[in-house]
Each structure stands twice: as C-alpha cells, then as structure tokens.
Amino acid sequence: MSKTVADVMTANPATIDAGQPVSVAARIMSSEDTGAVIITNDGVISGIVTDRDIAVRIVAEDKGPDTPVQDACSDDLVTVGPDTSLEQVVQLMRSKAVRRMPVVENNKAVGIVSIGDLAMERDPDSALADISAARGNQ
C-alpha cells in the first residue's frame, strides 16, 4: 500500500492563468479529460477550478464564457505536499469537504490528488475505484 500523495497523485496537472476566461478552462478540461484545472497567478498556484465550479458559479449565475476563471474558484484553497501521508489527505478532504487537492512543492503545482485516486489505492474493489480506473483506461 502506498504511503504518500506522491505515490497516487496525477503528476503534471493542467494549469491556467487566473485572468483567462472560463471557456479556456473548459476547453482544457475537455482536451485533457480532467474535471479540474489548477489556477496560477504569476506562476504561483492561487486556486483550483472544477467543472462543477463552472456550472454552479458561472453558468447557473448567467455569467458569460469570458468570465475570468478566478471568479469561478473557491477562495479557500487547500493544498498538500507530495510527502503528505494518505491518511492526512483523507482527513483534510473530509474536514474541508473537497474532492480534489492540488499537490504543491516550492509554490508550484506538481500534481493533483482526487478521491478517486485515494479510492483506487485504499479500496480497489470499491465502486468509486472501479469508476476511476475505467476513466483512466479511456
């Protein structure tokens, strides 16, 4: 069984500059087959935007596709380092009610860890692990 985030994270996550429009983030999500893009501001991680964020904070509020991506993300960014234990990540995800976390080293995004990654590691026979594994094989 893996011990740290580095063992289960997706490396080299998609990123976008905070001032870019949400339409660009959506295109990145489509082309990268991902549900989240890390937001940077002058090269430093400043947030994460998910497909759900775009739907709830932009589309549902009748904001346009040119809305800056920083307007779609949460203010309360929770990150972990690659050496963070999986137990710590699980506790953080539970307490903060998040499904994905940027993995940061030296203020740079080096990965992203999701509940699907954790499910595949901790309980490979679970329904969530099955779904996550199938998505990775597409």
Side-chain angles (χ1 to χ4, degrees):
M1 181 178 261
S2 299
K3 305 275 192 242
T4 67
V5 169
D7 297 321
V8 301
M9 72 180 190
T10 299
N12 304 314
T15 62
I16 187 170
D17 185 72
Q20 290 291 307
V22 293
S23 59
V24 172
R27 281 194 292 278
I28 291 170
M29 288 178 195
S30 177
S31 68
E32 299 284 325
D33 191 28
T34 186
V37 177
I38 294 176
I39 300 171
T40 60
N41 198 344
D42 292 326
V44 177
I45 186 169
S46 62
I48 184 170
V49 65
T50 67
D51 45 8
R52 185 177 189 284
D53 291 333
I54 293 171
V56 171
R57 295 190 176 124
I58 303 301
V59 177
E61 297 294 324
D62 291 325
K63 296 178 181 175
D66 293 331
T67 303
V69 73
Q70 67 190 6
D71 292 354
C73 71
S74 300
D75 296 349
D76 188 21
L77 180 64
V78 181
T79 65
V80 293
D83 58 346
T84 304
S85 77
L86 296 183
E87 302 310 318
Q88 289 174 300
V89 173
V90 169
Q91 289 175 352
L92 273 171
M93 285 184 169
R94 281 184 181 147
S95 67
K96 300 295 184 178
V98 295
R99 296 179 181 104
R100 299 173 183 98
M101 285 187 179
V103 181
V104 178
E105 191 169 49
N106 299 322
N107 291 327
K108 302 287 183 193
V110 296
I112 190 164
V113 63
S114 72
I115 60 171
D117 297 328
L118 297 172
M120 288 192 316
E121 177 61 29
R122 293 178 60 137
D123 188 3
D125 296 324
S126 72
L128 181 56
D130 286 347
I131 293 166
S132 296
R135 183 164 181 68
N137 292 332
Q138 292 180 347

